[in-house]
Amino acid sequence: MSEFLWWRDGVIYQIYPRSYKDSNQDGIGDLPGITEKLNYLKDLGVDAIWLSPVYPSPDVDFGYDISDYREIDPRYGGMEAFDNFISEAHARNIHVIIDLVLNHTSNQHPWFQQSRSSKGNSFRDWYIWRSSQNRSKLPNNWKSRFGNSGWAWDEKTEEYYFHMFFKEQPDLNWRNPKVVQEILDMVKFWLDKGVDGFRLDVFNAYFKDINFKDNPFKIGLTKFDQQKHLYDIDQPEMFDFLREFRVLLDSYPQRYAVGETFMGDHQTAADYTGDQALHAAFDFSFQNNRYNPAAFYRTIQRWENVLDQKGWPNYFLNNHDVIRSASRYTKSEDDDRLKVLATLLLTLRGTPFIYYGEEIGMRDIPITKKANVLDPVGRHFWPFYKGRDGCRSPMQWNDDQNAGFSTGNPWLPVHSNYGWRNVETQSSNPESLLNFYKQLIKIRKTHPVFQNGMYLPITFEPHKLLAFIRQSSDQTALIALNFSKRSVGLVLSSQLLGSDWKLLISNKRDTFPIVRDRKIMLEGNEALVLING
């Protein structure tokens, strides 16, 4: 058995800092607030925290438009609060992953302010500028993710600059060696501060085609989706940077990097992982599945096939960009389905990521009026897409004012169900979702088969059953998940029948299930985990 490695064998917990805990009652969560809750996270059992951006930012895209890569926004407590947070997290053996948003900066970043000041400025080539014979002729057909042209006209220097996202987020020119070196120096700055890992935002969009070729057309809903993105993402030069980046990471002990694969599938994500690339990359198909065992089965098999047991998968049901799984998969306040999904997430081969509040089944806050939308993406696409505010509401700690998040006016409303759906209430209820998560995480940590055992599928029945084995040299675990409201039978092979099974956990029973006619009957919405060895 290999030694426990935190990013591979542990559990990673994502925090959206604005929404976790407000220490100074200004309505915005901050680093001292997160530090105050580290004992809660230690008790939950997580091994690492991934922080969404806490750098200075004008907040056009709520932190994903950075104006200084080497500082912490005073609203989050500044650098002193960050240093204290790292120290306190490490004292509890909790690692810290920070976001790196490197495809673009804020247009308020000093680099861009210099770059747009004149064509002769030394920072001019730090961004992607193109001349045009006249303002009406665009450099090429590349689009912004939000549907319009990706080229913005700059009056002062009478040239276009490229922005994959909002015009306030100009893309860096990754073909400039000075940009690459500055980025690597900045990464070293955070490594020296004790940061344990990085999540790379839209990493495969860094490099663009050197000849700025037009993207070909394809059928799609939005203008951006109506292009095959052959020339504005996934350029071969990305691998050269990743090799350099990995050398830097590997010069520090047990550092980690995971990438957000932009516009890619499981194969794309797998291609960017390896000993000379990223440790892992996200494939989004798992969280995009319907509540259907066949869909999850196919996603898992695709991951396993492309990684070929050598790469390391990761799985997540939620993050800061999507509707929460509790709102996607349930229409009531019942948590049975969420326990089935939690069991799936925490027993698979790979690193599980948990999004804050997922462990208590937080639902999205309702978004009913455009006037109330803060997310710029929601304002842009309203009413067809209401944005991401729903999944970013304040963490629900107790039934006090504003769910214990802040006594000030929260930057987003607290969900109306906070009176009973909160950490304090669920902590005292042994049958709660929170305590189920705690049990699952403890099981994952105390039984190495869930960390390093092989994944072996047994069966799936559409709309009903998903079952698989995790197996190591000395342990075997059987995981059976009933996605149906009705009882479902799991037929055991002769090999499985001859095993000396013990019940590890179930959300429906406390004793080992009776085996009749080679079959275990699972109750509706039951998650069952057995082990031998």
Side-chain angles (χ1 to χ4, degrees), residues 490-494 497 515-520:
L490 170 64
V491 178
L492 300 178
S493 67
S494 299
L497 274 173
V515 180
R516 285 201 181 105
D517 298 325
R518 303 178 55 166
K519 187 183 291 185
I520 291 175

Side-chain angles (χ1 to χ4, degrees), residues 464-525:
K464 293 182 181 180
L465 180 66
L466 175 62
F468 57 93
I469 291 285
R470 296 294 308 282
Q471 189 169 58
S472 63
S473 59
D474 57 354
Q475 282 186 324
T476 301
L478 168 63
I479 297 92
L481 307 170
N482 183 3
F483 284 69
S484 167
K485 292 186 290 185
R486 298 178 180 177
S487 296
V488 173
L490 170 64
V491 178
L492 300 178
S493 67
S494 299
Q495 183 181 3
L496 294 177
L497 274 173
S499 299
D500 183 20
W501 295 110
K502 298 181 182 68
L503 176 67
L504 269 184
I505 192 172
S506 167
N507 59 327
K508 296 293 183 177
R509 69 185 79 220
D510 298 319
T511 58
F512 189 83
I514 297 171
V515 180
R516 285 201 181 105
D517 298 325
R518 303 178 55 166
K519 187 183 291 185
I520 291 175
M521 293 303 298
L522 297 172
E523 293 188 30
N525 292 313

